[in-house]
Amino acid sequence: MNTVKHNYISLPEPLECTGSMDTRELRISRAMAFAIDEINNSSDILPGITLGYQIHDTCASVPLAVQVALQFTNDPQLLSDNSKVCSRTGSMLAIIGDSGSTECISISRIVAPFHIPLVSHFATCACLSDKTQYPTFFRTIPSDHFQAEALAKLVKHFGWTWIGAIRSNSDYGNNGMASFLRAAHKEGICVEYSESFNLNDPPSKIQQVADVIRRSTAMVVVSFTATGDLRFLLEELTRNPSTPRQWIGSEAWVTDPEVQRFRICAGAIGFAIPQSIIPGFREYIMDLSPAKVAASYLLTKFWEGAFNCKLEKQAGSVDKVCDGTEDLQKLQIPYTDTSQLRVTNMVYKAVYAIAHAMHNIVCKKINSIVQCDRFIKIEPVQVLDQLKRVNFSRNGYHVSFDANGDPVAFYELINWQKNGNGGLEFVTVGHYDESLSAGQKFTIKREISWTNGGTQVPMSVCSDSCPPGTRKVLQKGKPVCCYDCVPCAEGEISNTSDSSDCSSCHKEFWPNAEKTLCLPKPVEFLSFHEVLGIILTSFSVGGACLTIVTAIVFFHHRYTPIVRANNSELSFLLLFSLTLCFLCSLTFMGRPSDWSCMLRHTAFGITFVLCISCVLGKTIVVLMAFKATLPGSNIAKWFGPTQQRMTVVSFTFVQVLICIIWLVLKPPFSIRNLTTYNEKIILECALGSAIGFWAVLGYIGLLAVFCFVLAVLARKLPDNFNEAKLITFSMLIFCAVWIAFIPAYISSPGKFTVAVEIFAILSSSFGLIICIFVPKCFIILFRPEKNTKKNLMGKK
């Protein structure tokens, strides 16, 4: 239509349609006429009543649509054939149309106050479902609300989370895209860009939108556009092609032959109105005689444009005159293409919906015979009321309206596939049925051919999927679909892809290397079977065996001077206690239990005090023996064998008493240490009372220091074999080991704490047996000539 600039001085020129005729729309208008003719000739619906009609071309123009709507509301006599005599004055009871949502909005606002129903076959804007604004609007095509939901589910189904969006700058495009964007947001889909345009925009605007598509990283483009708008954009994209995109189309263009010629849309998919069959329709539209054509202004324009001739010779015109040889069968145009009767069937259903509403008003079934009152006066409001109740099927297609005037949404999924001739054809590969339960609405039943001609689904994501074991961290300033994959922190896992958070494992579990699964933490303790345990066990048993062998040697030579020189009874008791010291280290190995924890600490404390008490007794014996040789000294009677035994028992009893108090008040117990290491559990013995432990250890240290001091005092006393010197060295080693033990014990983690304690026990025990008994055994076994009283006394 021409755009007219008004100067408000003279009357404006009448509005006129310009340009070529859309033969697809002509076919749709002919479907209305076909349906009315069927009804007028039917004995089942409105028998004996003839429906009339008028067809107006709005040229997709709001001003023309408004003009026609105003004419409908002011002209009571609208008959298609004035030659026929009607029983009453004809009146306009309903309107079918328009194809565009914007035009329908304008028409509905005008006719609604008159309660005139408007039934559209192709206006899909979800806004028209608002009954507060459009109370008389109905449609036989589903609302874009359902299509938007279906498109969002389609995009989500193929894993596309990064898309571009274009739309017509109209009510159809803007409202449809708004519905889609809301649905896409719920599905977690991000939109890189959203551009609007229409065919009336300057070329620079179209080029700008094309450049946005070319520069984008999104490989999928969702297009909510009218055919005419999209055609301009595709022509611009064809002039300067870029990386092929996967096009997702709305029902307005995805089955339109006018767009099918653009090769850059190969592989496009989208939802369309179901393909249908209207019996007799092709024969009807192809049956155009010259008389029929000449009787209709629209058909005349169509005929002359299709065959490039004039029906009548005009004076001064050089145009070719149609000679009657024109054949519609040879034309390859949308008007003659009845292979994809989609929107056409929506018009057909709209006519029958209005006819059924009128039938329910004027006709009644009496004794199985339908009788209609031809003289009853019908008001538009009655038709409006009955339209809300219609529920019938025609040619296998169901017709009804919900509370919003919308039908049940059912779409076919269309894929543009290459045929054998190298062209593109529309192939139904699935469907979407809103009436089914969730999870069953969307079905794909055939293989899809994608934009690259293959069957591999193209990728369109801002960021690759984050594998299990990682979490998504959003990139600053970008949509939620753009993120970095960050490994889960220590002690956390994610067992799904694209996890936004990692979950912590239970305190007794730890992630595997991939951080996808929480596994029970390995339990660690000093085992007899591991290398360190075997080494310590070997030294423990070896030390005990060495002590036993020493005792055997001493027992076998118990009457020799070197054995008898320093109280052989204390020597045997010392060897016994040393054997226990070596063996008590074994109680520190193996899986700890409450009983083993109490046993290991008390056995260690008592056996070591017994050992040190024996060494202390021997030191006192050496010291007293030389003091007793002084003139007038009677000290020997105060430290005889009985006193020596009492000394050992007394010192040991004190340690026994400390251990009893410790065990009664707060004994050691086994624990599962979860803090030293994150990735494993340490089975160890808790001290129960740190005071008790350090009291036991402190008492051993006190006796060792006391023994060391006495040994130092006795080391220079005359004798070739002064045992005090050996005791001094043994106590020096003992004290050094246990002084070093304290910081090592505190700083050693896990099972190595136990290993340090065992090492201290074995080291101090070996120090005692080597320093005190090995020299004596050497003399007994290898220097028997020195094992004499004379040699021990140092006499020549």
Side-chain angles (χ1 to χ4, degrees):
M1 189 190 76
N2 286 330
T3 302
V4 179
K5 292 184 178 180
H6 301 291
N7 55 19
Y8 301 100
I9 297 175
S10 59
L11 290 175
E13 295 292 328
L15 297 174
E16 292 182 354
C17 294
T18 59
S20 60
M21 178 180 290
D22 186 343
T23 60
R24 181 193 186 202
E25 290 293 328
L26 177 62
R27 186 187 70 209
I28 291 173
S29 68
R30 294 280 291 159
M32 185 187 80
F34 172 74
I36 292 175
D37 284 351
E38 269 193 344
I39 294 168
N40 289 340
N41 295 319
S42 172
S43 59
D44 297 326
I45 182 169
L46 294 175
I49 295 178
T50 302
L51 300 179
Y53 62 90
Q54 272 195 350
I55 297 177
H56 293 265
D57 188 1
T58 62
C59 300
S61 166
V62 172
L64 270 177
V66 170
Q67 183 184 54
V68 171
L70 291 172
Q71 181 181 345
F72 285 158
T73 57
N74 286 278
D75 187 358
Q77 297 191 14
L78 299 169
L79 298 176
S80 63
D81 190 349
N82 292 325
S83 64
K84 293 184 179 180
V85 178
C86 294
S87 59
R88 59 176 298 277
T89 300
S91 62
M92 196 270 297
L93 299 177
I95 301 172
I96 295 177
D98 189 293
S99 295
S101 295
T102 302
E103 292 75 23
C104 279
I105 289 172
S106 302
I107 296 172
S108 182
R109 290 190 187 279
I110 294 173
V111 302
F114 300 94
H115 307 291
I116 300 174
L118 172 65
V119 184
S120 176
H121 58 282
F122 206 30
T124 58
C125 179
C127 59
L128 288 165
S129 297
D130 185 355
K131 285 303 170 190
T132 60
Q133 296 191 59
Y134 313 103
T136 66
F137 180 81
F138 296 83
R139 53 185 157 201
T140 52
I141 189 171
S143 164
D144 280 339
H145 168 75
F146 303 109
Q147 182 179 199
E149 294 280 348
L151 287 173
K153 285 181 170 58
L154 175 70
V155 172
K156 183 66 175 179
H157 175 79
F158 292 112
W160 299 321
T161 57
W162 187 239
I163 65 171
I166 59 173
R167 66 188 186 277
S168 292
N169 191 10
S170 63
D171 290 293
Y172 167 73
N174 292 330
N175 285 280
M177 183 55 71
S179 297
F180 169 75
L181 293 179
R182 285 193 295 269
H185 178 73
K186 292 178 183 179
E187 298 289 349
I189 299 165
C190 298
V191 179
E192 183 180 7
Y193 59 86
S194 180
E195 298 289 331
S196 65
F197 65 98
N198 62 47
L199 55 84
N200 294 320
D201 286 334
S204 58
K205 173 62 176 177
I206 305 296
Q207 185 177 0
Q208 177 187 339
V209 175
D211 289 339
V212 170
I213 296 174
R214 293 186 184 106
R215 291 194 303 267
S216 72
T217 58
M219 293 293 104
V220 173
V221 181
V222 177
S223 174
F224 237 107
T225 55
T227 300
D229 297 336
L230 183 62
R231 192 164 58 241
F232 277 84
L233 178 63
L234 294 178
E235 287 172 353
E236 173 61 31
L237 288 171
T238 303
R239 278 192 286 270
N240 186 15
S242 62
T243 305
R245 258 71 177 180
Q246 178 62 49
W247 289 83
I248 310 296
S250 61
E251 94 296 332
W253 66 268
V254 78
T255 56
D256 195 321
E258 292 294 319
V259 188
Q260 196 176 16
R261 61 187 174 89
F262 292 98
R263 313 290 296 179
I264 60 173
C265 291
I269 56 174
F271 290 106
I273 305 306
Q275 186 175 355
S276 56
I277 298 174
I278 304 176
F281 178 63
R282 179 171 178 79
E283 292 76 11
Y284 179 83
I285 64 172
M286 300 301 286
D287 181 20
L288 288 181
S289 64
K292 288 182 180 179
V293 173
S296 170
Y297 173 78
L298 289 178
L299 291 179
T300 299
K301 288 292 184 183
F302 160 68
W303 193 273
E304 292 179 346
F307 295 106
N308 196 23
C309 65
K310 294 293 183 179
L311 285 178
E312 294 181 358
K313 179 68 176 179
Q314 295 179 353
S317 175
V318 295
D319 292 333
K320 175 186 174 183
V321 179
C322 303
D323 57 7
T325 61
E326 295 80 19
D327 187 1
L328 277 177
Q329 303 288 347
K330 295 180 179 179
L331 291 180
Q332 298 293 324
I333 56 175
Y335 178 84
T336 60
D337 182 9
T338 57
S339 62
Q340 301 278 335
L341 295 180
R342 300 178 187 275
V343 179
T344 304
N345 193 44
M346 299 298 104
V347 177
Y348 186 78
K349 288 169 32 173
V351 173
Y352 268 90
I354 295 173
H356 273 271
M358 296 174 64
H359 181 89
N360 294 336
I361 297 171
V362 302
C363 299
K364 293 182 180 179
K365 196 171 187 179
I366 302 175
N367 297 327
S368 301
I369 299 174
V370 176
Q371 297 181 0
C372 301
D373 187 351
R374 299 174 55 189
F375 301 97
I376 189 172
K377 183 178 180 180
I378 304 175
E379 297 295 337
V381 68
Q382 294 177 281
V383 179
L384 174 64
D385 182 63
Q386 288 298 324
L387 269 175
K388 299 174 183 178
R389 297 179 172 85
V390 295
N391 190 344
F392 66 94
S393 294
R394 181 68 184 175
N395 296 333
Y397 308 112
H398 183 257
V399 180
S400 65
F401 303 103
D402 62 15
N404 296 322
D406 296 325
V408 175
F410 183 87
Y411 298 99
E412 288 182 349
L413 180 60
I414 302 300
N415 180 214
W416 290 25
Q417 298 185 4
K418 292 182 180 179
N419 55 27
N421 300 325
L424 296 175
E425 62 180 354
F426 305 135
V427 178
T428 301
V429 295
H431 63 263
Y432 181 88
D433 189 348
E434 181 64 30
S435 64
L436 299 179
S437 59
Q440 298 180 338
K441 297 180 180 181
F442 180 52
T443 304
I444 296 178
K445 58 184 181 181
R446 288 186 59 178
E447 195 171 62
I448 297 176
S449 174
W450 300 104
T451 182
N452 53 10
T455 57
Q456 183 67 32
V457 179
M459 295 287 293
S460 186
V461 295
C462 182
S463 300
D464 290 332
S465 176
C466 287
T470 63
R471 64 183 178 89
K472 297 192 295 186
V473 176
L474 299 183
Q475 296 177 1
K476 189 175 181 180
K478 292 188 177 182
V480 294
C481 298
C482 301
Y483 47 80
D484 296 317
C485 298
V486 178
C488 290
E490 193 174 62
E492 296 182 343
I493 66 161
S494 66
N495 52 14
T496 59
S497 298
D498 294 325
S499 176
S500 57
D501 289 301
C502 297
S503 56
S504 299
C505 291
H506 185 269
K507 62 181 180 179
E508 294 196 2
F509 287 75
W510 193 252
N512 57 358
E514 295 78 21
K515 296 186 177 180
T516 58
L517 182 67
C518 287
L519 301 175
K521 290 182 180 179
V523 177
E524 185 178 85
F525 55 88
L526 188 58
S527 169
F528 289 102
H529 306 292
E530 62 181 291
V531 175
L532 181 59
I534 293 173
I535 293 173
L536 294 176
T537 301
S538 300
F539 276 98
S540 176
V541 174
C545 292
L546 177 62
T547 307
I548 294 171
V549 170
T550 303
I552 294 173
V553 171
F554 264 55
F555 182 79
H556 189 264
H557 299 86
R558 61 186 178 279
Y559 299 113
T560 59
I562 200 168
V563 175
R564 300 180 61 188
N566 290 97
N567 194 334
S568 59
E569 185 178 339
L570 285 180
S571 295
F572 283 111
L573 185 57
L574 177 58
L575 287 171
F576 172 73
S577 64
L578 280 174
T579 303
L580 294 180
C581 287
F582 279 116
L583 294 178
C584 82
S585 63
L586 298 177
T587 63
F588 287 81
M589 289 187 278
R591 179 182 287 270
S593 65
D594 290 345
W595 285 104
S596 67
C597 289
M598 290 187 286
L599 175 63
R600 67 172 59 171
H601 287 99
T602 53
F604 156 69
I606 293 172
T607 55
F608 260 80
V609 165
L610 177 61
C611 180
I612 299 301
S613 298
C614 292
V615 175
L616 181 59
K618 291 174 70 65
T619 306
I620 295 174
V621 167
V622 172
L623 193 61
M624 296 303 173
F626 285 97
K627 293 289 185 180
T629 59
L630 297 177
S633 176
N634 61 351
I635 196 170
K637 68 178 181 179
W638 296 104
F639 204 73
T642 303
Q643 287 78 11
Q644 295 171 22
R645 297 189 193 100
M646 290 301 297
T647 299
V648 172
V649 171
S650 299
F651 285 135
T652 305
F653 177 76
V654 173
Q655 184 74 308
V656 171
L657 186 62
I658 294 173
C659 290
I660 290 173
I661 295 172
W662 183 14
L663 294 178
V664 170
L665 296 181
K666 206 169 184 182
F669 57 92
S670 61
I671 61 167
R672 297 167 70 86
N673 185 346
L674 304 173
T675 59
T676 303
Y677 295 102
N678 291 326
E679 69 279 4
K680 57 186 175 182
I681 299 174
I682 305 298
L683 285 185
E684 59 185 14
C685 290
L687 296 177
S689 171
I691 296 174
F693 174 74
W694 291 110
V696 169
L697 207 61
Y699 183 66
I700 294 173
L702 179 65
L703 291 182
V705 170
F706 183 47
C707 182
F708 175 70
V709 172
L710 292 181
V712 170
L713 294 176
R715 75 187 188 284
K716 292 185 178 181
L717 296 177
D719 198 338
N720 272 0
F721 195 80
N722 184 358
E723 196 173 27
K725 296 177 182 179
L726 304 179
I727 293 174
T728 300
F729 284 112
S730 65
M731 288 297 102
L732 189 62
I733 295 173
F734 185 91
C735 292
V737 167
W738 286 100
I739 289 173
F741 160 78
I742 295 174
Y745 178 84
I746 294 173
S747 60
S748 297
K751 65 181 181 181
F752 297 104
T753 303
V754 178
V756 166
E757 196 166 357
I758 295 174
F759 178 79
I761 293 171
L762 295 178
S763 298
S764 53
S765 299
F766 274 111
L768 288 172
I769 193 170
I770 290 173
C771 291
I772 296 176
F773 291 101
V774 168
K776 295 179 181 180
C777 289
F778 181 79
I779 292 174
I780 292 172
L781 297 176
F782 302 104
R783 294 289 189 269
E785 67 276 7
K786 293 185 177 182
N787 190 6
T788 62
K789 186 176 181 181
K790 179 179 178 181
N791 184 65
L792 293 178
M793 298 299 293
K795 297 180 180 180
K796 303 294 183 182

